[in-house]
Amino acid sequence: MKFKWRITKYNPKYRDQNGIYNKDEWTSIYDIGSIHDNKKLTVKEYLDIEDKYIFAIENIVNCNKIPHLTVSGLEKWEEQLEIEEFPDLYNANMYNLYENISEESLVHQKDVGDLSRLILRNNLWCRLNHPRMYLHFGHDFYMFIGCEMECVKLRNNIQSSGLFIEDWISPIKDG
C-alpha cells in the first residue's frame, strides 16, 4: 500500500518519548458512564467519536473506489449478537451482519460502516482487506488503514473532525 496510517482519537502530544499515551481517556463502549480525565462519558460523546471513525472509513473506501472488503481472521465470541447494554445503538443490519459474516465474506461498501461499529464495540474482530486497501483495528480504538490513494482533502477533513492521522504501518498481520 502506498499510504499507511494509524487513525485514532488520541492526540500524539500526550505520548511520551516511547510512544506511550499518558492521558486518562476512555477506550471502549463499556466505558460509557465512567469518569475519564474528570469527565463522565455519555452515549452522545461516545457516538460522536465512533461516527468520526465511520466517516473516515467510509470516505477512504469511497475515495479509493473499493467496492468491497474481504474478511479474514474473524473472531466471534457468541453465536448471536447479545446486547445487554445499549441495545438502542444497534440496527437490524448490524444484527444481520453479525449472524451472516464468515471467514472470507465480502463486505460491500454500504456495510463497512456497520461492521466497523461492531468491531469498535468489541462484538467481533476481523481484518478487512482488498488488493488496494486494508482496514485493521487494534485494541482501544486504534485503527490502521492502508490504501493506494491519499485523498488529501479527505485527510484534512478527517483531521479537522478531531481524529489524528499518523503515518504508520499496521501491526496487525495477515495470515
Side-chain angles (χ1 to χ4, degrees):
M1 298 296 147
K2 192 171 180 180
F3 300 97
K4 300 172 185 111
W5 302 310
R6 174 170 72 180
I7 302 175
T8 69
K9 65 187 195 79
Y10 304 111
N11 188 334
K13 78 178 184 179
Y14 295 110
R15 293 188 188 282
D16 67 17
Q17 65 275 12
N18 297 315
I20 305 296
Y21 196 75
N22 290 311
K23 188 175 178 195
D24 179 27
E25 290 200 29
W26 61 269
T27 59
S28 165
I29 191 171
Y30 302 109
D31 288 334
I32 293 174
S34 65
I35 308 291
H36 295 274
D37 199 30
N38 298 315
K39 262 179 55 179
K40 187 175 189 175
L41 177 63
T42 66
V43 170
K44 182 186 179 320
E45 290 166 324
Y46 170 84
L47 287 175
D48 180 53
I49 294 296
E50 188 181 78
D51 288 345
K52 291 175 183 182
Y53 278 71
I54 303 310
F55 169 85
I57 293 164
E58 290 177 342
N59 283 282
I60 291 171
V61 166
N62 288 335
C63 173
N64 281 272
K65 297 177 177 36
I66 305 297
H68 61 269
L69 293 160
T70 303
V71 170
S72 66
L74 179 65
E75 295 177 18
K76 286 176 32 174
W77 298 281
E78 303 290 337
E79 280 296 311
Q80 297 179 333
L81 185 58
E82 295 183 22
I83 308 304
E84 294 172 17
E85 293 184 78
F86 318 111
D88 296 343
L89 301 185
Y90 293 82
N91 62 44
N93 190 49
M94 292 167 83
Y95 283 96
N96 185 50
L97 282 168
Y98 188 90
E99 292 202 9
N100 293 303
I101 196 164
S102 61
E103 189 71 14
E104 297 187 21
S105 288
L106 295 183
V107 179
H108 294 278
Q109 186 181 51
K110 67 179 179 53
D111 294 322
V112 170
D114 280 343
L115 181 60
S116 296
R117 287 183 196 278
L118 290 170
I119 297 168
L120 287 168
R121 295 175 185 181
N122 300 311
N123 298 119
L124 58 79
W125 184 86
C126 64
R127 294 179 300 272
L128 296 167
N129 299 295
H130 183 276
R132 294 189 321 270
M133 182 179 171
Y134 66 75
L135 173 59
H136 299 162
F137 294 89
H139 296 291
D140 302 338
F141 269 68
Y142 281 85
M143 181 169 72
F144 304 93
I145 293 180
C147 56
E148 291 299 318
M149 295 178 59
E150 181 177 26
C151 314
V152 175
K153 184 177 177 184
L154 174 60
R155 184 177 173 150
N156 293 338
N157 289 343
I158 292 168
Q159 289 176 314
S160 295
S161 80
L163 295 182
F164 299 91
I165 301 176
E166 302 166 272
D167 291 332
W168 206 271
I169 297 170
S170 174
I172 313 296
K173 302 296 180 208
D174 285 330

